[in-house]
Amino acid sequence: MARDPAHDILFEPVRIGPVTARNRFYQVPHCNGMGRHWPTPMAAMRGMKAEGGWAVVCTEQCDIHPTSNVTKEIRLWDEHDIPYLARMTEFIHVHGSLAGIELVHSGHRVGNLESRDIPLAPSARPVAGFLPFSARAMDKEDIRDYRRWHRTAALNARTAGFDLIYVYAGHDLSLPMHFLSCRHNRRSDEYGGSLANRARLLRELIED
């Protein structure tokens, strides 16, 4: 069956910043249930998507630090997590596709059952869900640390071969969005109050 010419644009390359996707089929980040516990099936599944024609294949959310410890997802806490993620990017690149990674710090959305670190939030509050924990309000040193963790994770992601790196601030699942939200952010310093102040952390992460 001949392809409808109206769809030809879907098969044309498109530039995304400094890289070029070979077509317009873009697999956005999504969880798959394998995560870091089954790294080879996770990498093979992403590679299969690239083989099937997706020009961009992204990870699920990727924790950047023990203070954001989601048990079922991938993580990039330090350089020790690079090898299994590099296997995924290798499987994707062999088919000419781009690999994207969604760097996430989940803030008050996690209880850190494995790491036992106290969850972080713009303002003190209970952890979301049924876990009997509370997240503490981040001070200025915490914010500086978080920016450093995020930047280090981005550099490690580049070392692992990722072409696209997300600064994730959506779905009420990440610290940048928690800072953006006046429902979660009750700060009175330069990171709270006005929308410009609440957006400060997100801008700093992008600049970092």
Side-chain angles (χ1 to χ4, degrees):
M1 180 182 294
R3 188 170 75 211
D4 186 337
H7 301 147
D8 285 350
I9 191 173
L10 298 176
F11 298 87
E12 294 178 3
V14 60
R15 285 189 60 80
I16 306 173
V19 297
T20 299
R22 59 192 170 103
N23 60 46
R24 310 300 177 94
F25 292 94
Y26 191 112
Q27 181 248 286
V28 299
H30 72 81
C31 300
N32 58 52
M34 291 179 263
R36 66 182 183 275
H37 298 296
W38 293 280
T40 297
M42 179 272 294
M45 184 273 285
R46 302 294 186 192
M48 190 179 299
K49 285 176 174 285
E51 182 179 11
W54 295 88
V56 179
V57 179
C58 297
T59 66
E60 63 265 42
Q61 70 180 67
C62 179
D63 292 346
I64 65 168
H65 191 262
T67 53
S68 177
N69 179 200
V70 179
T71 56
K72 294 183 179 181
E73 311 298 349
I74 61 173
R75 72 185 186 197
L76 191 48
W77 289 358
D78 56 37
E79 65 275 6
H80 295 98
D81 291 313
I82 291 175
Y84 81 93
L85 293 173
R87 186 185 313 166
M88 188 193 104
T89 62
E90 179 184 354
F91 284 16
I92 292 170
H93 288 155
V94 75
H95 299 293
S97 299
L98 302 176
I101 187 168
E102 185 178 60
L103 300 180
V104 178
H105 191 295
S106 297
H108 69 260
R109 303 292 301 188
V110 290
N112 300 330
L113 294 175
E114 291 178 314
S115 70
R116 298 297 183 179
D117 280 288
I118 298 173
L120 302 175
S123 305
R125 55 153 295 151
V127 167
F130 300 103
L131 297 174
F133 307 122
S134 292
R136 65 178 178 82
M138 296 171 69
D139 59 24
K140 298 293 180 58
E141 183 177 359
D142 293 322
I143 291 174
R144 288 192 295 271
D145 286 342
Y146 170 55
R147 291 176 59 186
R148 176 170 48 81
W149 302 335
H150 196 281
R151 184 177 187 276
T152 299
L155 293 172
N156 285 335
R158 184 173 65 182
T159 300
F162 286 97
D163 308 287
L164 300 166
I165 297 175
Y166 282 70
V167 180
Y168 181 56
H171 304 100
D172 199 28
L173 293 176
S174 69
L175 271 178
M177 182 166 183
H178 298 159
F179 271 81
L180 282 169
S181 170
C182 57
R183 181 162 62 99
H184 301 310
N185 185 344
R186 300 182 298 277
R187 303 174 71 95
S188 58
D189 61 6
E190 66 267 36
Y191 288 93
S194 69
L195 177 57
N197 282 358
R198 300 197 312 272
R200 186 182 305 275
L201 180 60
L202 178 58
R203 294 199 313 271
E204 290 175 340
L205 293 176
I206 294 170
E207 292 166 359
D208 292 340

PDB file of all heavy atoms in Angstrom, residues 57-91:
ATOM      1  N   VAL A  57      14.411   7.809  21.412  1.00  0.00           N
ATOM      2  CA  VAL A  57      13.941   6.860  22.419  1.00  0.00           C
ATOM      3  C   VAL A  57      14.426   7.356  23.773  1.00  0.00           C
ATOM      4  O   VAL A  57      15.634   7.531  23.979  1.00  0.00           O
ATOM      5  CB  VAL A  57      14.466   5.437  22.146  1.00  0.00           C
ATOM      6  CG1 VAL A  57      13.968   4.473  23.222  1.00  0.00           C
ATOM      7  CG2 VAL A  57      14.033   4.957  20.764  1.00  0.00           C
ATOM      8  N   CYS A  58      13.489   7.573  24.694  1.00  0.00           N
ATOM      9  CA  CYS A  58      13.826   8.139  26.002  1.00  0.00           C
ATOM     10  C   CYS A  58      13.654   7.115  27.118  1.00  0.00           C
ATOM     11  O   CYS A  58      12.907   6.146  26.990  1.00  0.00           O
ATOM     12  CB  CYS A  58      12.952   9.360  26.300  1.00  0.00           C
ATOM     13  SG  CYS A  58      13.182  10.719  25.141  1.00  0.00           S
ATOM     14  N   THR A  59      14.335   7.370  28.211  1.00  0.00           N
ATOM     15  CA  THR A  59      14.206   6.543  29.405  1.00  0.00           C
ATOM     16  C   THR A  59      12.892   6.838  30.125  1.00  0.00           C
ATOM     17  O   THR A  59      12.149   7.740  29.757  1.00  0.00           O
ATOM     18  CB  THR A  59      15.342   6.839  30.401  1.00  0.00           C
ATOM     19  OG1 THR A  59      15.191   8.188  30.886  1.00  0.00           O
ATOM     20  CG2 THR A  59      16.706   6.675  29.759  1.00  0.00           C
ATOM     21  N   GLU A  60      12.656   6.091  31.197  1.00  0.00           N
ATOM     22  CA  GLU A  60      11.690   6.513  32.200  1.00  0.00           C
ATOM     23  C   GLU A  60      12.376   7.548  33.088  1.00  0.00           C
ATOM     24  O   GLU A  60      13.494   7.976  32.789  1.00  0.00           O
ATOM     25  CB  GLU A  60      11.227   5.323  33.047  1.00  0.00           C
ATOM     26  CG  GLU A  60      12.317   4.656  33.863  1.00  0.00           C
ATOM     27  CD  GLU A  60      12.921   3.459  33.162  1.00  0.00           C
ATOM     28  OE1 GLU A  60      13.154   3.532  31.942  1.00  0.00           O
ATOM     29  OE2 GLU A  60      13.163   2.450  33.837  1.00  0.00           O
ATOM     30  N   GLN A  61      11.717   7.967  34.196  1.00  0.00           N
ATOM     31  CA  GLN A  61      12.361   8.910  35.087  1.00  0.00           C
ATOM     32  C   GLN A  61      13.630   8.286  35.652  1.00  0.00           C
ATOM     33  O   GLN A  61      13.698   7.084  35.910  1.00  0.00           O
ATOM     34  CB  GLN A  61      11.433   9.340  36.212  1.00  0.00           C
ATOM     35  CG  GLN A  61      11.125   8.278  37.247  1.00  0.00           C
ATOM     36  CD  GLN A  61      10.201   8.805  38.321  1.00  0.00           C
ATOM     37  OE1 GLN A  61       9.050   9.100  38.080  1.00  0.00           O
ATOM     38  NE2 GLN A  61      10.720   8.902  39.544  1.00  0.00           N
ATOM     39  N   CYS A  62      14.630   9.114  35.837  1.00  0.00           N
ATOM     40  CA  CYS A  62      15.945   8.658  36.304  1.00  0.00           C
ATOM     41  C   CYS A  62      16.322   9.447  37.542  1.00  0.00           C
ATOM     42  O   CYS A  62      16.585  10.655  37.465  1.00  0.00           O
ATOM     43  CB  CYS A  62      16.977   8.841  35.188  1.00  0.00           C
ATOM     44  SG  CYS A  62      18.648   8.339  35.657  1.00  0.00           S
ATOM     45  N   ASP A  63      16.356   8.776  38.697  1.00  0.00           N
ATOM     46  CA  ASP A  63      16.724   9.445  39.951  1.00  0.00           C
ATOM     47  C   ASP A  63      18.156   9.953  39.890  1.00  0.00           C
ATOM     48  O   ASP A  63      19.046   9.262  39.379  1.00  0.00           O
ATOM     49  CB  ASP A  63      16.613   8.469  41.124  1.00  0.00           C
ATOM     50  CG  ASP A  63      15.189   8.062  41.425  1.00  0.00           C
ATOM     51  OD1 ASP A  63      14.270   8.716  40.923  1.00  0.00           O
ATOM     52  OD2 ASP A  63      15.004   7.074  42.166  1.00  0.00           O
ATOM     53  N   ILE A  64      18.398  11.134  40.459  1.00  0.00           N
ATOM     54  CA  ILE A  64      19.728  11.721  40.398  1.00  0.00           C
ATOM     55  C   ILE A  64      20.483  11.666  41.721  1.00  0.00           C
ATOM     56  O   ILE A  64      21.677  11.974  41.760  1.00  0.00           O
ATOM     57  CB  ILE A  64      19.673  13.186  39.915  1.00  0.00           C
ATOM     58  CG1 ILE A  64      18.916  14.059  40.939  1.00  0.00           C
ATOM     59  CG2 ILE A  64      19.047  13.283  38.529  1.00  0.00           C
ATOM     60  CD1 ILE A  64      19.071  15.550  40.678  1.00  0.00           C
ATOM     61  N   HIS A  65      19.816  11.242  42.815  1.00  0.00           N
ATOM     62  CA  HIS A  65      20.473  11.305  44.120  1.00  0.00           C
ATOM     63  C   HIS A  65      19.729  10.416  45.113  1.00  0.00           C
ATOM     64  O   HIS A  65      18.518  10.198  44.960  1.00  0.00           O
ATOM     65  CB  HIS A  65      20.489  12.759  44.623  1.00  0.00           C
ATOM     66  CG  HIS A  65      21.364  12.967  45.811  1.00  0.00           C
ATOM     67  ND1 HIS A  65      20.866  12.989  47.093  1.00  0.00           N
ATOM     68  CD2 HIS A  65      22.704  13.174  45.925  1.00  0.00           C
ATOM     69  CE1 HIS A  65      21.857  13.196  47.943  1.00  0.00           C
ATOM     70  NE2 HIS A  65      22.988  13.314  47.261  1.00  0.00           N
ATOM     71  N   PRO A  66      20.418   9.886  46.153  1.00  0.00           N
ATOM     72  CA  PRO A  66      19.731   9.055  47.146  1.00  0.00           C
ATOM     73  C   PRO A  66      18.575   9.739  47.859  1.00  0.00           C
ATOM     74  O   PRO A  66      17.701   9.056  48.413  1.00  0.00           O
ATOM     75  CB  PRO A  66      20.856   8.699  48.139  1.00  0.00           C
ATOM     76  CG  PRO A  66      22.097   8.743  47.324  1.00  0.00           C
ATOM     77  CD  PRO A  66      21.882   9.876  46.347  1.00  0.00           C
ATOM     78  N   THR A  67      18.531  11.075  47.883  1.00  0.00           N
ATOM     79  CA  THR A  67      17.390  11.763  48.492  1.00  0.00           C
ATOM     80  C   THR A  67      16.158  11.696  47.599  1.00  0.00           C
ATOM     81  O   THR A  67      15.100  12.201  47.974  1.00  0.00           O
ATOM     82  CB  THR A  67      17.726  13.236  48.788  1.00  0.00           C
ATOM     83  OG1 THR A  67      18.221  13.867  47.596  1.00  0.00           O
ATOM     84  CG2 THR A  67      18.772  13.342  49.891  1.00  0.00           C
ATOM     85  N   SER A  68      16.288  11.078  46.438  1.00  0.00           N
ATOM     86  CA  SER A  68      15.145  10.815  45.543  1.00  0.00           C
ATOM     87  C   SER A  68      15.249   9.370  45.101  1.00  0.00           C
ATOM     88  O   SER A  68      15.812   9.057  44.064  1.00  0.00           O
ATOM     89  CB  SER A  68      15.179  11.750  44.338  1.00  0.00           C
ATOM     90  OG  SER A  68      14.126  11.449  43.438  1.00  0.00           O
ATOM     91  N   ASN A  69      14.692   8.488  45.912  1.00  0.00           N
ATOM     92  CA  ASN A  69      14.922   7.054  45.762  1.00  0.00           C
ATOM     93  C   ASN A  69      13.619   6.341  45.399  1.00  0.00           C
ATOM     94  O   ASN A  69      12.894   5.867  46.253  1.00  0.00           O
ATOM     95  CB  ASN A  69      15.511   6.516  47.074  1.00  0.00           C
ATOM     96  CG  ASN A  69      15.781   5.027  47.075  1.00  0.00           C
ATOM     97  OD1 ASN A  69      15.901   4.437  48.134  1.00  0.00           O
ATOM     98  ND2 ASN A  69      15.896   4.416  45.925  1.00  0.00           N
ATOM     99  N   VAL A  70      13.335   6.284  44.086  1.00  0.00           N
ATOM    100  CA  VAL A  70      12.181   5.520  43.591  1.00  0.00           C
ATOM    101  C   VAL A  70      12.667   4.113  43.296  1.00  0.00           C
ATOM    102  O   VAL A  70      13.556   3.911  42.471  1.00  0.00           O
ATOM    103  CB  VAL A  70      11.577   6.167  42.332  1.00  0.00           C
ATOM    104  CG1 VAL A  70      10.408   5.347  41.817  1.00  0.00           C
ATOM    105  CG2 VAL A  70      11.129   7.584  42.641  1.00  0.00           C
ATOM    106  N   THR A  71      12.104   3.123  43.940  1.00  0.00           N
ATOM    107  CA  THR A  71      12.698   1.777  43.921  1.00  0.00           C
ATOM    108  C   THR A  71      12.619   1.098  42.567  1.00  0.00           C
ATOM    109  O   THR A  71      13.451   0.243  42.259  1.00  0.00           O
ATOM    110  CB  THR A  71      12.015   0.880  44.965  1.00  0.00           C
ATOM    111  OG1 THR A  71      10.607   0.842  44.726  1.00  0.00           O
ATOM    112  CG2 THR A  71      12.276   1.415  46.371  1.00  0.00           C
ATOM    113  N   LYS A  72      11.634   1.426  41.728  1.00  0.00           N
ATOM    114  CA  LYS A  72      11.424   0.660  40.494  1.00  0.00           C
ATOM    115  C   LYS A  72      11.971   1.316  39.242  1.00  0.00           C
ATOM    116  O   LYS A  72      11.818   0.782  38.153  1.00  0.00           O
ATOM    117  CB  LYS A  72       9.927   0.396  40.300  1.00  0.00           C
ATOM    118  CG  LYS A  72       9.318  -0.518  41.353  1.00  0.00           C
ATOM    119  CD  LYS A  72       7.850  -0.806  41.056  1.00  0.00           C
ATOM    120  CE  LYS A  72       7.266  -1.740  42.100  1.00  0.00           C
ATOM    121  NZ  LYS A  72       5.835  -2.048  41.823  1.00  0.00           N
ATOM    122  N   GLU A  73      12.611   2.468  39.371  1.00  0.00           N
ATOM    123  CA  GLU A  73      13.068   3.186  38.184  1.00  0.00           C
ATOM    124  C   GLU A  73      14.593   3.100  38.048  1.00  0.00           C
ATOM    125  O   GLU A  73      15.275   2.528  38.880  1.00  0.00           O
ATOM    126  CB  GLU A  73      12.630   4.657  38.266  1.00  0.00           C
ATOM    127  CG  GLU A  73      11.165   4.865  38.601  1.00  0.00           C
ATOM    128  CD  GLU A  73      10.215   4.288  37.576  1.00  0.00           C
ATOM    129  OE1 GLU A  73      10.656   3.899  36.485  1.00  0.00           O
ATOM    130  OE2 GLU A  73       9.013   4.222  37.869  1.00  0.00           O
ATOM    131  N   ILE A  74      15.105   3.686  36.963  1.00  0.00           N
ATOM    132  CA  ILE A  74      16.550   3.755  36.801  1.00  0.00           C
ATOM    133  C   ILE A  74      17.087   4.899  37.646  1.00  0.00           C
ATOM    134  O   ILE A  74      16.327   5.730  38.153  1.00  0.00           O
ATOM    135  CB  ILE A  74      16.944   3.938  35.323  1.00  0.00           C
ATOM    136  CG1 ILE A  74      16.376   5.240  34.754  1.00  0.00           C
ATOM    137  CG2 ILE A  74      16.510   2.740  34.498  1.00  0.00           C
ATOM    138  CD1 ILE A  74      16.858   5.562  33.359  1.00  0.00           C
ATOM    139  N   ARG A  75      18.408   4.918  37.794  1.00  0.00           N
ATOM    140  CA  ARG A  75      19.004   6.004  38.562  1.00  0.00           C
ATOM    141  C   ARG A  75      20.372   6.343  37.981  1.00  0.00           C
ATOM    142  O   ARG A  75      21.007   5.533  37.293  1.00  0.00           O
ATOM    143  CB  ARG A  75      19.117   5.636  40.031  1.00  0.00           C
ATOM    144  CG  ARG A  75      20.185   4.611  40.352  1.00  0.00           C
ATOM    145  CD  ARG A  75      20.126   4.216  41.821  1.00  0.00           C
ATOM    146  NE  ARG A  75      21.230   3.338  42.177  1.00  0.00           N
ATOM    147  CZ  ARG A  75      21.248   2.584  43.270  1.00  0.00           C
ATOM    148  NH1 ARG A  75      20.219   2.609  44.105  1.00  0.00           N
ATOM    149  NH2 ARG A  75      22.283   1.821  43.538  1.00  0.00           N
ATOM    150  N   LEU A  76      20.813   7.565  38.295  1.00  0.00           N
ATOM    151  CA  LEU A  76      22.140   8.036  37.920  1.00  0.00           C
ATOM    152  C   LEU A  76      22.686   8.840  39.095  1.00  0.00           C
ATOM    153  O   LEU A  76      22.867  10.048  39.033  1.00  0.00           O
ATOM    154  CB  LEU A  76      22.063   8.872  36.631  1.00  0.00           C
ATOM    155  CG  LEU A  76      23.363   9.254  35.932  1.00  0.00           C
ATOM    156  CD1 LEU A  76      24.291   8.054  35.758  1.00  0.00           C
ATOM    157  CD2 LEU A  76      23.078   9.899  34.598  1.00  0.00           C
ATOM    158  N   TRP A  77      22.916   8.131  40.203  1.00  0.00           N
ATOM    159  CA  TRP A  77      23.391   8.777  41.414  1.00  0.00           C
ATOM    160  C   TRP A  77      24.851   9.210  41.288  1.00  0.00           C
ATOM    161  O   TRP A  77      25.255  10.228  41.828  1.00  0.00           O
ATOM    162  CB  TRP A  77      23.248   7.844  42.612  1.00  0.00           C
ATOM    163  CG  TRP A  77      21.828   7.618  43.040  1.00  0.00           C
ATOM    164  CD1 TRP A  77      20.705   8.186  42.490  1.00  0.00           C
ATOM    165  CD2 TRP A  77      21.378   6.760  44.086  1.00  0.00           C
ATOM    166  NE1 TRP A  77      19.581   7.732  43.139  1.00  0.00           N
ATOM    167  CE2 TRP A  77      19.960   6.856  44.126  1.00  0.00           C
ATOM    168  CE3 TRP A  77      22.019   5.916  44.988  1.00  0.00           C
ATOM    169  CZ2 TRP A  77      19.186   6.143  45.039  1.00  0.00           C
ATOM    170  CZ3 TRP A  77      21.262   5.201  45.901  1.00  0.00           C
ATOM    171  CH2 TRP A  77      19.859   5.328  45.926  1.00  0.00           C
ATOM    172  N   ASP A  78      25.649   8.403  40.589  1.00  0.00           N
ATOM    173  CA  ASP A  78      27.066   8.723  40.395  1.00  0.00           C
ATOM    174  C   ASP A  78      27.588   7.921  39.215  1.00  0.00           C
ATOM    175  O   ASP A  78      26.820   7.278  38.492  1.00  0.00           O
ATOM    176  CB  ASP A  78      27.876   8.453  41.673  1.00  0.00           C
ATOM    177  CG  ASP A  78      27.722   7.022  42.176  1.00  0.00           C
ATOM    178  OD1 ASP A  78      27.645   6.091  41.345  1.00  0.00           O
ATOM    179  OD2 ASP A  78      27.695   6.821  43.404  1.00  0.00           O
ATOM    180  N   GLU A  79      28.914   7.926  39.037  1.00  0.00           N
ATOM    181  CA  GLU A  79      29.511   7.286  37.868  1.00  0.00           C
ATOM    182  C   GLU A  79      29.331   5.775  37.862  1.00  0.00           C
ATOM    183  O   GLU A  79      29.466   5.132  36.802  1.00  0.00           O
ATOM    184  CB  GLU A  79      31.000   7.639  37.771  1.00  0.00           C
ATOM    185  CG  GLU A  79      31.871   7.111  38.882  1.00  0.00           C
ATOM    186  CD  GLU A  79      31.893   8.006  40.120  1.00  0.00           C
ATOM    187  OE1 GLU A  79      31.125   8.998  40.149  1.00  0.00           O
ATOM    188  OE2 GLU A  79      32.669   7.712  41.052  1.00  0.00           O
ATOM    189  N   HIS A  80      29.015   5.167  39.009  1.00  0.00           N
ATOM    190  CA  HIS A  80      28.813   3.720  39.049  1.00  0.00           C
ATOM    191  C   HIS A  80      27.554   3.288  38.273  1.00  0.00           C
ATOM    192  O   HIS A  80      27.430   2.117  37.915  1.00  0.00           O
ATOM    193  CB  HIS A  80      28.719   3.240  40.496  1.00  0.00           C
ATOM    194  CG  HIS A  80      29.984   3.429  41.273  1.00  0.00           C
ATOM    195  ND1 HIS A  80      30.186   4.499  42.117  1.00  0.00           N
ATOM    196  CD2 HIS A  80      31.131   2.707  41.314  1.00  0.00           C
ATOM    197  CE1 HIS A  80      31.385   4.419  42.658  1.00  0.00           C
ATOM    198  NE2 HIS A  80      31.982   3.351  42.180  1.00  0.00           N
ATOM    199  N   ASP A  81      26.648   4.228  38.046  1.00  0.00           N
ATOM    200  CA  ASP A  81      25.430   3.906  37.308  1.00  0.00           C
ATOM    201  C   ASP A  81      25.586   4.109  35.801  1.00  0.00           C
ATOM    202  O   ASP A  81      24.659   3.818  35.043  1.00  0.00           O
ATOM    203  CB  ASP A  81      24.262   4.764  37.813  1.00  0.00           C
ATOM    204  CG  ASP A  81      23.841   4.385  39.220  1.00  0.00           C
ATOM    205  OD1 ASP A  81      23.690   3.182  39.476  1.00  0.00           O
ATOM    206  OD2 ASP A  81      23.668   5.294  40.057  1.00  0.00           O
ATOM    207  N   ILE A  82      26.742   4.579  35.365  1.00  0.00           N
ATOM    208  CA  ILE A  82      26.922   4.855  33.934  1.00  0.00           C
ATOM    209  C   ILE A  82      26.893   3.594  33.070  1.00  0.00           C
ATOM    210  O   ILE A  82      26.253   3.589  32.007  1.00  0.00           O
ATOM    211  CB  ILE A  82      28.224   5.663  33.702  1.00  0.00           C
ATOM    212  CG1 ILE A  82      28.072   7.075  34.275  1.00  0.00           C
ATOM    213  CG2 ILE A  82      28.584   5.721  32.219  1.00  0.00           C
ATOM    214  CD1 ILE A  82      29.344   7.910  34.210  1.00  0.00           C
ATOM    215  N   PRO A  83      27.571   2.489  33.457  1.00  0.00           N
ATOM    216  CA  PRO A  83      27.696   1.356  32.523  1.00  0.00           C
ATOM    217  C   PRO A  83      26.378   0.778  32.020  1.00  0.00           C
ATOM    218  O   PRO A  83      26.234   0.521  30.815  1.00  0.00           O
ATOM    219  CB  PRO A  83      28.491   0.328  33.336  1.00  0.00           C
ATOM    220  CG  PRO A  83      29.328   1.160  34.269  1.00  0.00           C
ATOM    221  CD  PRO A  83      28.424   2.296  34.651  1.00  0.00           C
ATOM    222  N   TYR A  84      25.392   0.551  32.900  1.00  0.00           N
ATOM    223  CA  TYR A  84      24.171  -0.076  32.403  1.00  0.00           C
ATOM    224  C   TYR A  84      23.337   0.893  31.564  1.00  0.00           C
ATOM    225  O   TYR A  84      22.614   0.469  30.649  1.00  0.00           O
ATOM    226  CB  TYR A  84      23.358  -0.687  33.551  1.00  0.00           C
ATOM    227  CG  TYR A  84      22.489   0.251  34.350  1.00  0.00           C
ATOM    228  CD1 TYR A  84      21.150   0.454  34.015  1.00  0.00           C
ATOM    229  CD2 TYR A  84      22.994   0.911  35.466  1.00  0.00           C
ATOM    230  CE1 TYR A  84      20.346   1.288  34.770  1.00  0.00           C
ATOM    231  CE2 TYR A  84      22.193   1.744  36.223  1.00  0.00           C
ATOM    232  CZ  TYR A  84      20.875   1.934  35.873  1.00  0.00           C
ATOM    233  OH  TYR A  84      20.072   2.758  36.623  1.00  0.00           O
ATOM    234  N   LEU A  85      23.466   2.197  31.833  1.00  0.00           N
ATOM    235  CA  LEU A  85      22.778   3.168  30.998  1.00  0.00           C
ATOM    236  C   LEU A  85      23.489   3.319  29.651  1.00  0.00           C
ATOM    237  O   LEU A  85      22.838   3.527  28.617  1.00  0.00           O
ATOM    238  CB  LEU A  85      22.698   4.516  31.718  1.00  0.00           C
ATOM    239  CG  LEU A  85      21.813   4.515  32.979  1.00  0.00           C
ATOM    240  CD1 LEU A  85      21.932   5.845  33.715  1.00  0.00           C
ATOM    241  CD2 LEU A  85      20.369   4.237  32.625  1.00  0.00           C
ATOM    242  N   ALA A  86      24.814   3.194  29.656  1.00  0.00           N
ATOM    243  CA  ALA A  86      25.563   3.239  28.398  1.00  0.00           C
ATOM    244  C   ALA A  86      25.183   2.061  27.506  1.00  0.00           C
ATOM    245  O   ALA A  86      25.194   2.181  26.273  1.00  0.00           O
ATOM    246  CB  ALA A  86      27.063   3.234  28.685  1.00  0.00           C
ATOM    247  N   ARG A  87      24.851   0.917  28.111  1.00  0.00           N
ATOM    248  CA  ARG A  87      24.384  -0.228  27.319  1.00  0.00           C
ATOM    249  C   ARG A  87      23.092   0.126  26.577  1.00  0.00           C
ATOM    250  O   ARG A  87      22.902  -0.218  25.414  1.00  0.00           O
ATOM    251  CB  ARG A  87      24.152  -1.432  28.235  1.00  0.00           C
ATOM    252  CG  ARG A  87      23.796  -2.718  27.495  1.00  0.00           C
ATOM    253  CD  ARG A  87      23.461  -3.836  28.463  1.00  0.00           C
ATOM    254  NE  ARG A  87      24.446  -3.933  29.535  1.00  0.00           N
ATOM    255  CZ  ARG A  87      24.250  -4.633  30.648  1.00  0.00           C
ATOM    256  NH1 ARG A  87      23.114  -5.274  30.848  1.00  0.00           N
ATOM    257  NH2 ARG A  87      25.174  -4.671  31.576  1.00  0.00           N
ATOM    258  N   MET A  88      22.212   0.863  27.256  1.00  0.00           N
ATOM    259  CA  MET A  88      20.967   1.266  26.610  1.00  0.00           C
ATOM    260  C   MET A  88      21.220   2.206  25.447  1.00  0.00           C
ATOM    261  O   MET A  88      20.665   2.049  24.361  1.00  0.00           O
ATOM    262  CB  MET A  88      20.042   1.935  27.630  1.00  0.00           C
ATOM    263  CG  MET A  88      18.657   2.218  27.103  1.00  0.00           C
ATOM    264  SD  MET A  88      17.726   3.338  28.168  1.00  0.00           S
ATOM    265  CE  MET A  88      17.837   4.831  27.220  1.00  0.00           C
ATOM    266  N   THR A  89      22.065   3.222  25.654  1.00  0.00           N
ATOM    267  CA  THR A  89      22.327   4.169  24.568  1.00  0.00           C
ATOM    268  C   THR A  89      23.011   3.469  23.399  1.00  0.00           C
ATOM    269  O   THR A  89      22.766   3.808  22.244  1.00  0.00           O
ATOM    270  CB  THR A  89      23.180   5.362  25.045  1.00  0.00           C
ATOM    271  OG1 THR A  89      24.454   4.900  25.494  1.00  0.00           O
ATOM    272  CG2 THR A  89      22.489   6.106  26.173  1.00  0.00           C
ATOM    273  N   GLU A  90      23.856   2.477  23.688  1.00  0.00           N
ATOM    274  CA  GLU A  90      24.502   1.725  22.613  1.00  0.00           C
ATOM    275  C   GLU A  90      23.464   0.991  21.773  1.00  0.00           C
ATOM    276  O   GLU A  90      23.534   0.997  20.541  1.00  0.00           O
ATOM    277  CB  GLU A  90      25.500   0.734  23.212  1.00  0.00           C
ATOM    278  CG  GLU A  90      26.209  -0.131  22.179  1.00  0.00           C
ATOM    279  CD  GLU A  90      27.121  -1.163  22.811  1.00  0.00           C
ATOM    280  OE1 GLU A  90      27.296  -1.132  24.050  1.00  0.00           O
ATOM    281  OE2 GLU A  90      27.647  -2.009  22.069  1.00  0.00           O
ATOM    282  N   PHE A  91      22.498   0.358  22.426  1.00  0.00           N
ATOM    283  CA  PHE A  91      21.448  -0.371  21.711  1.00  0.00           C
ATOM    284  C   PHE A  91      20.612   0.575  20.847  1.00  0.00           C
ATOM    285  O   PHE A  91      20.127   0.199  19.780  1.00  0.00           O
ATOM    286  CB  PHE A  91      20.543  -1.103  22.696  1.00  0.00           C
ATOM    287  CG  PHE A  91      21.131  -2.356  23.274  1.00  0.00           C
ATOM    288  CD1 PHE A  91      22.485  -2.624  23.191  1.00  0.00           C
ATOM    289  CD2 PHE A  91      20.324  -3.273  23.940  1.00  0.00           C
ATOM    290  CE1 PHE A  91      23.030  -3.784  23.735  1.00  0.00           C
ATOM    291  CE2 PHE A  91      20.853  -4.437  24.482  1.00  0.00           C
ATOM    292  CZ  PHE A  91      22.213  -4.686  24.385  1.00  0.00           C
TER     293      PHE A  91
END
